Amino acid sequence: TIVPNHADLKNAGALDFPSRELRKIFKDGDHVRVIHGKYEGETGLVVRVDDNVAVIVADTTYSEMKVRPRDMQLCTEMNSGVDSQGMYQIGDVVEVDQQTIGYIVRIERGVRQDSNTARQDSVGAKQRYRQET
């Protein structure tokens, strides 16, 4: 049931619709939180909406995320990110393997990303490198 907020429908009262006919609407500039999926918990700014996908720039990493509108909601708070976790902090030099070193460029939800993995496919990098506790 929806109560329309439009001058032409002012006297219509509550309108009933099947849920399959409803769709969330977002516009460029909306600040949103991802509530389901790969980027759950992230916040960011909507920069583009195409068909059934919104492109969001993340508050903490400034990376683009493609999210379905049904998987996000408007919000006012922003993720602040972290600059350290456990024994690691941004800028630390780390040994990735016996022949490779890098430095920490981002710490996000316990996943360390160093300068070497930043240049690689992020999915592969997250699968290859251990999660910090």
Side-chain angles (χ1 to χ4, degrees):
T1 302
I2 295 177
V3 178
N5 185 15
H6 191 278
D8 293 342
L9 299 172
K10 186 167 82 171
N11 297 324
L15 303 173
D16 291 324
F17 290 95
S19 61
R20 69 182 179 279
E21 292 181 8
L22 301 177
R23 182 178 296 178
K24 289 184 178 181
I25 303 291
F26 295 95
K27 61 184 182 303
D28 295 357
D30 283 344
H31 194 263
V32 297
R33 172 177 300 282
V34 180
I35 56 174
H36 297 289
K38 179 179 177 182
Y39 302 108
E40 183 176 347
E42 293 290 333
T43 61
L45 195 67
V46 175
V47 294
R48 186 174 67 245
V49 180
D50 296 322
D51 296 323
N52 198 29
V53 175
V55 178
I56 304 166
V57 174
D59 289 333
T60 55
T61 62
Y62 304 108
S63 59
E64 284 191 357
M65 304 179 287
K66 292 183 179 179
V67 180
R68 294 177 298 202
R70 72 177 188 205
D71 293 336
M72 52 194 219
Q73 66 185 20
L74 291 173
C75 76
T76 56
E77 67 274 356
M78 295 177 65
N79 283 349
S80 59
V82 293
D83 62 3
S84 67
Q85 181 168 7
M87 60 187 214
Y88 296 105
Q89 63 183 8
I90 292 177
D92 283 353
V93 176
V94 294
E95 180 180 0
V96 177
D97 58 38
Q98 291 180 346
Q99 300 165 336
T100 310
I101 63 168
Y103 58 94
I104 304 293
V105 295
R106 183 174 83 197
I107 298 174
E108 182 179 321
R109 294 187 187 189
V111 176
R112 180 194 80 217
Q113 182 176 23
D114 59 55
S115 58
N116 289 312
T117 63
R119 285 184 246 134
Q120 299 174 9
D121 175 67
S122 62
V123 173
K126 286 182 181 177
Q127 290 173 349
R128 285 200 317 272
Y129 297 104
R130 72 180 193 274
Q131 187 156 2
E132 300 299 315
T133 57

